[in-house]
Amino acid sequence: IDGNAERLHSDNGRPNVYWFLLDGYVRDDTLAKYFAHDNQPFLSFLTNNGFRIGKKSFSNYDNTTLSLTSTLTNTYQRTPDGPGPHPDTVVSILSGFNPAVQKFISLGYQYIHAPYAGAAKTQCGGLEEKCIRAQPTGSIPLNEVQASLLQLTPLFRIIRKAIPDAFRYDHIFVEDVMTAIDPSRSQPFFLFAHILSPHAPPRYSANCQRINDVGGIIDVGEGQYDPEQFRLDPLCTSRSVKRAVQSILANDQSDPIIILQGDHGFKFRLPGEPEVNPARSTKGEGPFRRLAILNAIRLPESCREFFRPALSPINTFPLVFACLEGRPPKLYPNRHFIRPNGSAGGVVEVQPYTSR
């Protein structure tokens, strides 16, 4: 790796870093086993373009908040013997005030932040050089989180009936992010784009056309969700990502680092499953369903040997920074936690099995 360190450290020679966090994007064996979807054509495209695929990757947590805050801080934010992070700390971390962003800035990077639909979890906090927002377009300017909370009340149905376009808003899509960035800029940048797909609610119609209306609450938890829709959204999201990767590689001359990563698996009930579904189990199928994720990273060729098939998200940025600094990475032990009782309970450490 030392042979390329000089190039990586030369003026304007650092690679741009794109992190597309694809919320709830599960691993290919999960898609095949539970949703009869073959994701191999997409993975082959990535492999042919320099990506390494985490065929054995599991997320560190089964929910967005703990997963992302741990990835951005290189610290397990909750363990069975301790409390979780304070809500204010979570918002601060996810808004850009975290060790990963600070490290990029110290290396001369500009920070670009693209939260999903202006939502509270990954809002722009002011540290970013550019904020890419999805703006509400309805007659009542609520973002996706606010609309979803209102949807839990009778008032939502009353207003929706009286004003049909009241809560129309735009989800943020990969194309929106790509339109807003300039890969040819002289100063290197780190992009954090949080794309809420294939997570509920639906983002695409059957022909992969965007759905811009409110389609349902964001977190279906352990409720039922249409498996056909969950099969469709990764397919359509992958098409968008493929176009983005092609555009990046055609226009970005910095030998970019591109991270395509889910933050957790799925825990909703499939047709015919009881209310206490297999995903609640702390052994076997439960952790597998809740933790198996897409994890695909394109690194400069000199760094690719350090990628591991079981790389978990907490080691994403230790790997990236080691590559940028021309040294072997120091990786953390992979640990995996689920919340079998939901947000009201604590976490349990698990050893998820692989279906391969």
Side-chain angles (χ1 to χ4, degrees):
I1 192 169
D2 290 338
N4 273 313
E6 184 177 352
R7 182 182 61 79
L8 291 176
H9 285 273
S10 63
D11 291 341
N12 299 326
R14 294 191 186 276
N16 294 323
V17 181
Y18 303 74
W19 183 27
F20 290 98
L21 193 285
L22 308 174
D23 206 303
Y25 199 125
V26 300
R27 217 165 63 190
D28 62 312
D29 45 0
T30 299
L31 289 171
K33 180 176 182 178
Y34 297 103
F35 304 100
H37 176 60
D38 180 9
N39 210 29
Q40 192 55 49
F42 177 56
L43 299 185
S44 295
F45 162 79
L46 295 178
T47 301
N48 291 337
N49 282 280
F51 284 80
R52 294 291 185 265
I53 310 296
K55 288 290 188 178
K56 298 180 180 180
S57 285
F58 289 98
S59 62
N60 302 111
Y61 293 91
D62 64 348
N63 76 306
T64 297
T65 299
L66 290 173
S67 181
L68 291 187
T69 52
S70 297
T71 301
L72 289 163
T73 61
N74 305 129
T75 303
Y76 290 104
Q77 289 289 308
R78 185 162 195 183
T79 57
D81 56 354
H86 189 277
D88 291 344
T89 301
V90 169
V91 171
S92 178
I93 292 171
L94 298 181
S95 299
F97 299 92
N98 57 70
V101 170
Q102 291 168 359
K103 179 69 172 179
F104 276 113
I105 291 174
S106 75
L107 292 173
Y109 279 75
Q110 291 185 330
Y111 177 42
I112 302 176
H113 189 86
Y116 71 82
K121 277 187 178 178
T122 49
Q123 63 188 329
C124 292
L127 190 63
E128 67 283 343
E129 186 267 340
K130 184 179 183 65
C131 179
I132 305 172
R133 287 190 176 95
Q135 297 294 335
T137 58
S139 56
I140 299 178
L142 300 183
N143 66 38
E144 186 169 350
V145 168
Q146 294 165 333
S148 295
L149 291 174
L150 186 60
Q151 196 171 23
L152 300 176
T153 72
L155 185 61
F156 179 88
R157 293 186 293 274
I158 295 171
I159 297 177
R160 193 81 191 272
K161 186 175 181 179
I163 314 173
D165 69 341
F167 304 118
R168 182 178 177 85
Y169 58 85
D170 292 332
H171 306 294
I172 195 162
F173 289 81
V174 174
E175 291 88 348
D176 302 324
V177 177
M178 293 301 299
T179 300
I181 60 176
D182 176 13
S184 66
R185 63 168 63 196
S186 58
Q187 185 173 358
F189 62 82
F190 165 56
L191 165 71
F192 172 26
H194 189 176
I195 309 297
L196 196 67
S197 182
H199 197 293
R203 291 297 187 272
Y204 297 96
S205 62
N207 59 353
C208 285
Q209 294 298 306
R210 295 184 179 200
I211 298 174
N212 286 325
D213 290 319
V214 173
I217 61 173
I218 289 177
D219 190 3
V220 297
E222 296 187 8
Q224 291 184 338
Y225 189 59
D226 182 5
E228 265 305 300
Q229 185 66 52
F230 196 77
R231 186 195 70 80
L232 176 66
D233 274 1
L235 173 65
C236 300
T237 300
S238 297
R239 291 179 181 178
S240 295
V241 169
K242 180 178 179 180
R243 291 191 294 267
V245 169
Q246 290 171 327
S247 176
I248 291 170
L249 296 183
N251 297 291
D252 191 327
Q253 303 304 310
S254 70
D255 196 10
I257 294 173
I258 308 173
I259 305 161
L260 308 174
Q261 199 169 68
D263 56 342
H264 56 74
F266 81 98
K267 55 191 173 186
F268 55 81
R269 282 184 283 133
L270 298 170
E273 289 185 334
E275 287 193 14
V276 180
N277 69 45
R280 271 194 175 249
S281 171
T282 59
K283 297 181 179 180
E285 187 178 359
F288 175 77
R289 284 171 57 157
R290 298 170 81 111
L291 297 171
I293 57 166
L294 170 73
N295 192 14
I297 304 179
R298 182 194 185 277
L299 297 162
E301 191 170 354
S302 59
C303 307
R304 292 174 191 173
E305 65 178 293
F306 298 112
F307 184 90
R308 299 289 180 263
L311 191 84
S312 69
I314 202 167
N315 282 313
T316 301
F317 293 110
L319 176 60
V320 168
F321 290 133
C323 183
L324 295 179
E325 295 178 335
R327 56 177 174 81
K330 182 179 180 180
L331 301 180
Y332 297 85
N334 288 331
R335 300 180 69 184
H336 310 282
F337 305 89
I338 67 172
R339 302 183 304 169
N341 298 313
S343 58
V347 299
V348 175
E349 188 161 6
V350 296
Q351 296 295 329
Y353 73 88
T354 175
S355 67
R356 294 187 180 276

Coordinates of all heavy atoms in Angstrom, one line a residue, residues 91-97 101 105 111-115 122-133:
V91 N -28.8 12.6 17.7 CA -29.0 13.6 16.7 C -27.7 14.3 16.3 O -27.5 14.6 15.1 CB -30.1 14.6 17.2 CG1 -30.2 15.8 16.2 CG2 -31.4 14.0 17.3
S92 N -26.9 14.6 17.3 CA -25.6 15.3 17.0 C -24.7 14.4 16.1 O -24.2 14.9 15.1 CB -24.9 15.6 18.3 OG -23.7 16.3 18.1
I93 N -24.6 13.2 16.5 CA -23.8 12.2 15.7 C -24.3 12.1 14.3 O -23.5 12.2 13.3 CB -23.7 10.8 16.3 CG1 -23.0 10.9 17.7 CG2 -23.1 9.8 15.4 CD1 -23.1 9.6 18.5
L94 N -25.6 11.9 14.1 CA -26.1 11.7 12.8 C -26.2 13.0 11.9 O -26.5 12.9 10.7 CB -27.5 11.0 12.9 CG -27.5 9.6 13.5 CD1 -28.9 9.1 13.6 CD2 -26.5 8.7 12.8
S95 N -26.0 14.1 12.6 CA -26.1 15.4 11.9 C -24.7 15.9 11.4 O -24.5 17.0 11.0 CB -26.7 16.5 12.8 OG -28.0 16.1 13.1
G96 N -23.7 15.0 11.6 CA -22.4 15.3 11.2 C -21.3 15.5 12.2 O -20.1 15.6 11.9
F97 N -21.7 15.6 13.5 CA -20.8 15.9 14.6 C -20.3 14.6 15.2 O -20.8 14.1 16.2 CB -21.4 16.8 15.6 CG -21.8 18.1 15.1 CD1 -23.1 18.4 14.6 CD2 -20.9 19.2 15.0 CE1 -23.5 19.6 14.0 CE2 -21.3 20.4 14.5 CZ -22.5 20.6 14.0
V101 N -16.6 12.2 10.4 CA -16.6 13.5 9.7 C -15.5 14.3 10.1 O -14.8 15.0 9.2 CB -18.0 14.2 9.9 CG1 -17.9 15.6 9.3 CG2 -19.1 13.4 9.2
I105 N -12.6 15.9 7.6 CA -12.2 17.4 7.6 C -10.8 17.6 7.9 O -10.1 18.4 7.2 CB -13.2 18.1 8.5 CG1 -14.6 18.1 8.0 CG2 -12.7 19.6 8.7 CD1 -15.6 18.7 9.0
Y111 N -17.5 18.2 3.5 CA -18.5 17.2 3.9 C -19.8 17.6 3.2 O -20.3 18.8 3.3 CB -18.7 17.3 5.4 CG -19.8 16.4 6.0 CD1 -20.0 15.1 5.5 CD2 -20.6 16.9 7.0 CE1 -21.0 14.3 6.0 CE2 -21.6 16.1 7.5 CZ -21.8 14.8 7.0 OH -22.8 14.1 7.5
I112 N -20.4 16.6 2.5 CA -21.7 16.8 1.9 C -22.7 15.8 2.5 O -22.4 14.6 2.7 CB -21.6 16.5 0.4 CG1 -20.6 17.4 -0.3 CG2 -23.0 16.7 -0.3 CD1 -20.4 17.1 -1.8
H113 N -23.8 16.3 3.0 CA -24.8 15.6 3.7 C -26.1 15.5 3.0 O -26.6 16.6 2.6 CB -25.0 16.2 5.1 CG -25.7 15.4 6.1 ND1 -25.2 14.4 6.9 CD2 -27.1 15.4 6.4 CE1 -26.1 13.9 7.6 NE2 -27.3 14.5 7.4
A114 N -26.7 14.3 2.8 CA -28.0 14.2 2.2 C -28.9 13.3 3.0 O -28.9 12.1 2.9 CB -27.8 13.5 0.8
P115 N -29.7 14.0 3.9 CA -30.6 13.2 4.8 C -31.8 12.8 4.0 O -32.2 13.4 3.0 CB -31.0 14.2 5.8 CG -30.9 15.5 5.2 CD -29.8 15.4 4.1
T122 N -31.2 12.0 10.5 CA -30.0 12.4 9.8 C -30.2 13.8 9.2 O -29.9 14.0 8.0 CB -29.6 11.3 8.7 OG1 -30.8 11.1 7.9 CG2 -29.1 10.0 9.3
Q123 N -30.6 14.7 10.0 CA -30.7 16.1 9.5 C -29.4 16.7 9.3 O -28.4 16.3 9.8 CB -31.6 16.9 10.5 CG -30.9 17.0 11.9 CD -31.8 17.7 12.9 OE1 -32.7 18.5 12.5 NE2 -31.7 17.3 14.1
C124 N -29.4 17.8 8.5 CA -28.2 18.6 8.3 C -28.0 19.4 9.6 O -28.9 20.1 10.1 CB -28.3 19.5 7.1 SG -28.3 18.6 5.5
G125 N -26.7 19.4 10.1 CA -26.5 20.1 11.3 C -25.7 21.4 11.2 O -25.5 22.0 12.2
G126 N -25.3 21.7 10.0 CA -24.5 23.0 9.8 C -23.0 22.8 9.6 O -22.4 23.7 9.2
L127 N -22.5 21.6 9.9 CA -21.1 21.3 9.7 C -20.8 21.1 8.2 O -19.7 21.3 7.8 CB -20.7 20.2 10.5 CG -19.2 19.9 10.6 CD1 -18.4 21.0 11.3 CD2 -18.9 18.6 11.4
E128 N -21.8 20.7 7.5 CA -21.6 20.3 6.1 C -21.4 21.5 5.2 O -21.9 22.6 5.4 CB -22.8 19.5 5.6 CG -24.1 20.3 5.4 CD -24.8 20.5 6.8 OE1 -24.5 19.8 7.8 OE2 -25.7 21.4 6.8
E129 N -20.6 21.3 4.1 CA -20.3 22.3 3.1 C -21.6 22.4 2.2 O -21.8 23.5 1.7 CB -19.1 21.9 2.3 CG -18.6 23.0 1.3 CD -19.2 22.8 -0.1 OE1 -19.6 21.7 -0.4 OE2 -19.2 23.8 -0.8
K130 N -22.3 21.3 2.0 CA -23.5 21.3 1.2 C -24.5 20.4 1.8 O -24.1 19.2 2.2 CB -23.1 20.9 -0.2 CG -24.3 20.9 -1.2 CD -23.9 20.5 -2.6 CE -25.0 20.6 -3.6 NZ -25.4 22.0 -3.8
C131 N -25.7 20.8 1.9 CA -26.9 20.0 2.4 C -27.8 19.7 1.2 O -28.3 20.7 0.6 CB -27.6 20.7 3.5 SG -29.0 19.7 4.1
I132 N -28.0 18.4 0.9 CA -28.9 18.1 -0.2 C -30.2 17.6 0.5 O -30.3 16.5 1.1 CB -28.3 16.9 -1.0 CG1 -26.9 17.4 -1.6 CG2 -29.2 16.6 -2.2 CD1 -26.2 16.2 -2.3
R133 N -31.3 18.4 0.3 CA -32.5 18.1 1.0 C -33.6 17.7 0.0 O -33.6 18.2 -1.1 CB -33.0 19.3 1.8 CG -32.3 19.6 3.0 CD -33.0 20.7 3.8 NE -32.4 21.0 5.1 CZ -31.5 21.9 5.3 NH1 -31.2 22.7 4.3 NH2 -31.0 22.1 6.5

